[in-house]
């Protein structure tokens, strides 16, 4: 008889027959335990106490039957026998024994011997061992047959759990109690030296720092599960990196707050994603102040269908504004985003361009927004190198229109979304955004201005439209070569949610005139990111997915920077938000120059002339890897406008 047949018979037993069978077995155990207790307590002299013993066993069996029915000791499924079933056994045995003890006290003439009290205790202990042990045996047998059946049909994957504490033990228990998964736990690893070389449910715990590589190779580990609470970001990232280096797939579980009914389930195991590759402590926001500033307000979000704009809208909705006016010029993304939010919310979509001054004024006059988040912009560096006039029209003119109307209509807060590419810019996109920064900063300095203009700078956003991560993902999915521009190229990264969280925090608590820089951690080497993403997909870099060095693109830097030449950083109310110490801007000086640049772009001026004039406005702008590299001139031609 093979293990599969035995397993199915056990299943049948746990269904139709197990209740009756267990009941009969428990009665037999009750007889055996009582007789054994009598032999031990009366020192094998049963004849002298024969009448009392017969009366006692009759009463006790009756109590045992009633107690078993009350506590349903036979109402269980063998495969899932657990702590609750064993507790019911204890309660049933204790209830019957206490009932019998009362009868002994009430009938001293029937049970004259004091040793009957000792007999009750011994009988209780023996019965617990028999009933409890039998149930544990049944559960172990069911587990063994189930495991053998699964392993005979599907080979399991050797798996380790990082963390031998409460969470790690819970993960192991969930996997042990559910055999419909491909994981075989072969070891725990932990950083706590007090746990090293001990065992948890028969599985050895190893020192992660010392034994991890050996375990991977000796046990042929293919999967690792993050099962530890309160882990430092450094240790988490170090563990993930080591796993990926060893071609080990890494799984994680969500936070306990998201568990269904407070219990961890097998279906909650998830692969790590690219967000987990960042060394990021959690961001703590002043939710109360943000709520107070945004609740029941009318808010305008430009570029609302983009990666940043859409996340800003989603987060704003949690603070219960009166209305969110979402502007975007892309019809399909705007429609899809509106549908994704569902009905009955405060979002109002508007299609149009920030270059359309008439439309923008209509929006301001109709809705009277009190807060503006300006996320609309052209952002792709190589594209803007080829079309500097379009960068100027959208990033400079569009910003000027939206910002001017904010002052005219008395907007309280105007938050501009900028980029780290404005720092010592090497491309048109960065230079155009820097000019937009300068204009907004100059507006804030106008005497009598009541609008607080705040600029937020941060680096690349993981997962945003057209960014490196989704491009890499698509290439990996199709087993196509990944292009990396340079082996040493690095970039700063943030996730979309954390970038937008800081935008809200900075915007609400900023005082106006600031350029706020987000702490983006350490720069990420793009080649390392590509290798890790390939390994996350269970593939081998260079073998399953080739990596090609394509050369820096037009306008692209090898390394991005946080501060421009001559700038410094000052702390703010939030540890991850810093204030850039930038040179002040005077509106009367900057407006004529910026307006002439805009007029040149509108008039169709040649690219080289536009680049030269942008360099005059932003002296630190030096085109790199670009055909636009020219020598700056010191004067603007007089425009016909």
């Amino acid at each position: 008889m093979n293990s599969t047949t035995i397993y199915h018979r056990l299943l049948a037993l746990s269904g139709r027959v197990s209740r009756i069978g267990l009941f009969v077995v428990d009665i037999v155990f009750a007889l055996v335990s009582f007789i054994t207790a009598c032999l031990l307590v009366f020192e094998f002299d049963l004849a002298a106490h024969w009448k009392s013993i017969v009366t006692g066993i009759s009463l006790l069996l009756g109590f045992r039957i009633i107690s078993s029915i009350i506590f349903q000791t036979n109402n269980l499924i063998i495969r899932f026998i657990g702590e609750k079933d064993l507790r019911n056994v204890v309660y049933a045995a204790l209830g019957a024994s206490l009932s019998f003890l009362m009868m002994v006290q009430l009938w001293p003439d029937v049970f004259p011997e004091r040793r009957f009290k000792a007999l009750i205790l011994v009988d209780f202990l023996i019965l617990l061992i028999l009933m409890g042990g039998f149930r544990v045996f049944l559960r172990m047998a069911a587990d063994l047959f189930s495991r053998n059946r699964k392993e005979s049909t599907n080979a399991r994957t050797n798996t380790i759990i990082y963390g031998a504490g409460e969470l790690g033990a819970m993960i192991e228990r969930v996997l042990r109690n559910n055999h419909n998964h491909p994981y075989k736990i072969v070891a725990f690893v932990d950083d706590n030296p007090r746990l090293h070389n001990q065992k948890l449910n028969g599985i050895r715990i190893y020192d992660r720092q010392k034994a991890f590589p050996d375990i991977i190779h000796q046990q042929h580990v293919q999967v690792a599960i993050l099962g530890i609470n309160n882990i430092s970001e450094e240790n988490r990232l170090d563990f993930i990196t080591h796993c990926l280096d060893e071609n080990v797939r890494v799984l994680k579980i969500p936070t306990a707050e998201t568990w269904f009914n407070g219990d961890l389930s097998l279906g909650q195991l998830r692969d790590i994603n690219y967000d987990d590759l960042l060394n990021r402590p959690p961001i703590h926001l002043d939710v109360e102040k943000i709520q107070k500033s945004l609740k029941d307000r009318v808010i305008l979000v430009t570029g609302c269908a983009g990666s940043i704009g859409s996340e800003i809208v989603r987060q704003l909705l949690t603070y219960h504004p009166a209305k969110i006016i979402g502007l975007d010029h892309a019809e399909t993304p705007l429609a899809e985003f509106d549908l994704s939010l569902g009905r009955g919310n405060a979002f109002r979509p508007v299609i149009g361009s920030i270059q359309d001054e008439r439309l923008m004024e209509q929006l301001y006059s109709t809705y009277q927004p009190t807060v503006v988040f300006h996320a609309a912009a052209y952002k792709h560096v190589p594209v803007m190198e080829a079309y500097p006039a379009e960068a100027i029209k959208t990033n400079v003119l569009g910003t000027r229109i939206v910002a001017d109307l904010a002052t005219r209509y008395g907007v309280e807060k105007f938050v501009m979304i900028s980029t780290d590419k404005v720092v010592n810019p090497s491309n048109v996109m960065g230079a155009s955004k820097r000019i937009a920064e300068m204009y907004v900063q100059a507006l804030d300095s106008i005497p009598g201005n009541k609008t607080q203009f705040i600029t937020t700078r941060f680096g690349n956003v993981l997962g945003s439209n057209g960014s490196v991560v989704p491009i890499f993902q698509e290439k990996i999915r199709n087993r196509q070569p990944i292009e990396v521009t340079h082996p040493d190229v690095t970039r700063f990264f943030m996730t979309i949610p954390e970038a937008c969280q800081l935008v809200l925090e900075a915007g609400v608590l900023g005082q106006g005139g600031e350029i706020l820089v987000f702490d983006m951690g350490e720069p990420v080497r793009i080649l390392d990111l590509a290798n890790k993403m390939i390994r996350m997909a269970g593939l081998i870099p260079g073998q399953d997915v080739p990596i090609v060095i394509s050369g820096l693109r037009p306008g692209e830097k090898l390394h991005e920077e946080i501060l421009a030449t001559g700038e410094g950083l000052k702390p703010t109310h939030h540890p991850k938000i810093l204030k850039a110490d930038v040179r002040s801007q005077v509106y009367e000086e900057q407006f004529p120059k910026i307006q002439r640049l805009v007029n040149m772009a509108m008039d169709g001026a040649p690219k080289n002339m536009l680049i030269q004039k942008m360099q005059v406005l932003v002296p630190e702008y030096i085109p790199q890897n670009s055909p636009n590299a020219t020598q700056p001139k010191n004067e603007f031609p007089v425009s016909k406008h």
Side-chain angles (χ1 to χ4, degrees):
M1 184 182 297
N2 59 34
S3 61
T4 302
T5 303
I6 297 174
Y7 178 74
H8 284 299
R9 289 189 178 183
L10 278 172
L11 290 181
L13 175 65
S14 68
R16 296 187 300 271
V17 183
S18 62
R19 294 184 183 182
I20 298 174
L22 266 179
F23 182 79
V24 172
V25 170
D26 287 344
I27 297 301
V28 173
F29 284 157
L31 288 169
V32 170
S33 65
F34 188 81
I35 294 171
T36 304
C38 288
L39 290 171
L40 294 174
V41 172
F42 296 125
E43 300 176 349
F44 294 88
D45 183 13
L46 302 183
H49 310 281
W50 182 250
K51 290 184 179 180
S52 297
I53 291 173
V54 171
T55 303
I57 197 169
S58 300
L59 284 172
L60 188 55
L61 278 179
F63 290 139
R64 296 281 184 227
I65 292 171
I66 294 171
S67 188
S68 294
I69 294 172
I70 292 173
F71 291 100
Q72 299 183 348
T73 56
N74 63 331
N75 187 16
L76 50 79
I77 300 175
I78 292 176
R79 290 173 297 156
F80 303 120
I81 292 174
E83 295 175 4
K84 184 178 179 180
D85 299 305
L86 296 179
R87 281 200 303 268
N88 288 340
V89 167
V90 174
Y91 296 151
L94 184 62
S97 296
L98 290 176
S99 299
F100 183 54
L101 178 62
M102 291 176 60
M103 300 305 297
V104 169
Q105 296 282 67
L106 293 173
W107 290 353
D109 53 334
V110 178
F111 305 105
E113 288 284 345
R114 292 183 178 179
R115 283 185 289 181
F116 266 98
K117 295 179 180 178
L119 184 148
I120 293 171
L121 176 61
V122 174
D123 169 68
F124 170 72
L125 295 175
I126 294 174
L127 185 62
L128 279 187
I129 294 172
L130 291 174
M131 292 179 66
F134 183 65
R135 282 159 172 77
V136 171
F137 168 77
L138 289 177
R139 170 60 190 272
M140 291 175 63
D143 285 348
L144 178 62
F145 290 129
S146 174
R147 189 177 301 114
N148 289 339
R149 184 178 67 88
K150 292 289 183 181
E151 290 178 355
S152 65
T153 55
N154 296 308
R156 291 201 164 188
T157 302
N158 286 0
T159 303
I160 61 170
I161 297 176
Y162 178 21
E166 182 178 348
L167 182 58
M170 185 183 300
I171 294 171
E172 190 275 335
R173 184 167 61 251
V174 168
L175 294 175
R176 177 162 37 88
N177 292 342
N178 189 324
H179 303 294
N180 295 317
H181 62 80
Y183 311 115
K184 178 183 178 182
I185 306 302
V186 296
F188 285 91
V189 293
D190 203 283
D191 298 316
N192 186 349
R194 291 181 297 179
L195 299 177
H196 297 161
N197 297 319
Q198 297 188 30
K199 288 188 176 181
L200 197 163
N201 287 326
I203 303 171
R204 186 171 294 278
I205 305 168
Y206 295 91
D207 183 345
R208 181 181 68 88
Q209 296 287 351
K210 296 180 180 179
F212 180 75
D214 294 335
I215 297 170
I216 296 298
H217 297 137
Q218 293 171 6
Q219 301 282 359
H220 306 290
V221 172
Q222 294 176 277
V223 176
I225 301 174
L226 278 166
I228 187 168
N229 287 317
N230 303 320
I231 182 177
S232 70
E233 289 300 310
E234 290 77 13
N235 283 348
R236 182 187 63 80
L237 188 61
D238 181 65
F239 178 74
I240 292 174
T241 300
H242 277 90
C243 287
L244 295 179
D245 289 343
E246 299 288 347
N247 293 320
V248 173
R249 178 187 175 198
V250 183
L251 301 177
K252 64 178 182 178
I253 61 172
T255 57
E257 292 79 7
T258 64
W259 295 359
F260 182 70
N261 290 332
D263 293 324
L264 175 65
S265 66
L266 182 64
Q268 289 175 306
L269 284 172
R270 293 284 185 271
D271 285 288
I272 59 167
N273 54 38
Y274 46 82
D275 294 2
D276 296 302
L277 302 179
L278 296 180
N279 188 357
R280 284 285 187 273
I283 295 174
H284 301 286
L285 302 180
D286 193 334
V287 175
E288 185 176 343
K289 287 187 177 180
I290 296 175
Q291 175 83 16
K292 185 177 179 181
S293 298
L294 298 177
K295 186 178 181 181
D296 299 325
R297 300 296 186 94
V298 177
I299 303 170
L300 170 63
V301 180
T302 69
C304 70
S307 305
I308 296 297
S310 60
E311 179 65 20
I312 288 176
V313 170
R314 292 184 190 278
Q315 293 193 20
L316 284 172
L317 286 171
T318 65
Y319 294 101
H320 308 293
K323 196 172 296 182
I324 300 175
I325 311 305
L327 174 76
D328 206 287
H329 76 285
E331 175 196 14
T332 300
L334 180 61
E336 291 175 349
F337 176 57
D338 184 33
L339 287 172
S340 72
L341 295 178
R343 296 182 178 181
N345 57 64
F347 181 69
R348 301 293 180 270
V350 177
I351 190 165
S353 170
I354 56 173
Q355 297 180 37
D356 188 340
E357 189 166 3
R358 180 177 297 178
L359 170 65
M360 294 308 303
E361 180 152 18
Q362 184 180 356
L363 285 181
Y364 274 91
S365 63
T366 302
Y367 295 105
Q368 298 289 323
T370 54
V371 180
V372 175
F373 289 92
H374 177 45
Y378 280 146
K379 66 177 184 177
H380 291 284
V381 170
V383 177
M384 292 302 100
E385 288 299 289
Y387 299 98
E390 297 307 312
I392 294 168
K393 291 176 188 177
T394 294
N395 295 353
V396 180
L397 172 61
T399 299
R400 193 211 71 189
I401 290 172
V402 179
D404 284 349
L405 288 169
T407 60
R408 189 184 310 168
Y409 283 89
V411 169
E412 294 178 10
K413 296 270 189 177
F414 183 98
V415 184
M416 175 182 166
I417 313 301
S418 191
T419 169
D420 62 353
K421 291 178 175 58
V422 303
V423 179
N424 297 324
S426 62
N427 51 66
V428 167
M429 193 279 280
S432 65
K433 291 289 286 183
R434 175 60 189 141
I435 295 169
E437 281 188 359
M438 293 163 57
Y439 186 79
V440 166
Q441 192 182 3
L443 271 181
D444 191 84
S445 67
I446 296 176
N449 167 59
K450 296 182 180 180
T451 301
Q452 295 179 340
F453 287 93
I454 300 142
T455 298
T456 59
R457 282 184 193 168
F458 50 89
N460 297 271
V461 180
L462 281 173
S464 63
N465 296 331
S467 67
V468 64
V469 167
I471 292 174
F472 282 3
Q473 285 180 313
E474 184 67 21
K475 296 287 188 181
I476 293 169
R477 189 179 301 114
N478 296 319
R479 305 290 181 93
Q480 296 174 336
I482 286 180
E483 292 187 1
V484 176
T485 58
H486 192 283
D488 299 320
V489 66
T490 62
R491 291 293 180 265
F492 290 103
F493 284 103
M494 297 191 85
T495 66
I496 294 176
E498 68 180 350
C500 294
Q501 286 176 338
L502 291 176
V503 166
L504 295 188
E505 176 90 11
V508 167
L509 301 181
Q511 300 300 311
E514 306 108 325
I515 293 181
L516 300 175
V517 179
F518 295 168
D519 178 5
M520 295 169 286
E522 296 298 319
V524 175
R525 189 166 171 253
I526 302 301
L527 184 59
D528 292 340
L529 178 65
N531 279 302
K532 289 178 180 178
M533 288 185 66
I534 294 171
R535 294 188 187 280
M536 283 169 58
L539 304 173
I540 300 175
Q543 179 176 319
D544 298 316
V545 179
I547 297 178
V548 178
I549 304 301
S550 60
L552 292 173
R553 298 177 300 174
E556 189 175 36
K557 284 183 180 180
L558 191 60
H559 307 291
E560 299 291 359
E561 302 165 89
I562 297 176
L563 295 172
T565 304
E567 290 184 348
L569 289 176
K570 297 178 180 179
T572 67
H573 64 283
H574 195 287
K576 293 189 72 70
I577 302 175
L578 304 170
K579 181 179 178 181
D581 187 13
V582 298
R583 59 183 181 271
S584 60
Q585 303 294 331
V586 180
Y587 183 79
E588 289 76 9
E589 293 179 4
Q590 295 298 344
F591 176 75
K593 298 178 182 179
I594 293 174
Q595 186 59 44
R596 288 172 191 168
L597 176 65
V598 169
N599 291 341
M600 290 172 62
M602 299 296 289
D603 290 342
K607 287 196 296 184
N608 65 327
M609 188 175 293
L610 293 174
I611 300 299
Q612 290 174 359
K613 305 320 168 191
M614 293 175 77
Q615 288 181 276
V616 174
L617 276 167
V618 187
E620 61 270 24
Y621 168 34
I622 302 174
Q624 295 181 18
N625 306 305
S626 172
N628 297 328
T630 59
Q631 294 299 319
K633 296 184 179 180
N634 293 322
E635 72 281 343
F636 279 86
V638 177
S639 172
K640 65 182 181 181
H641 286 270

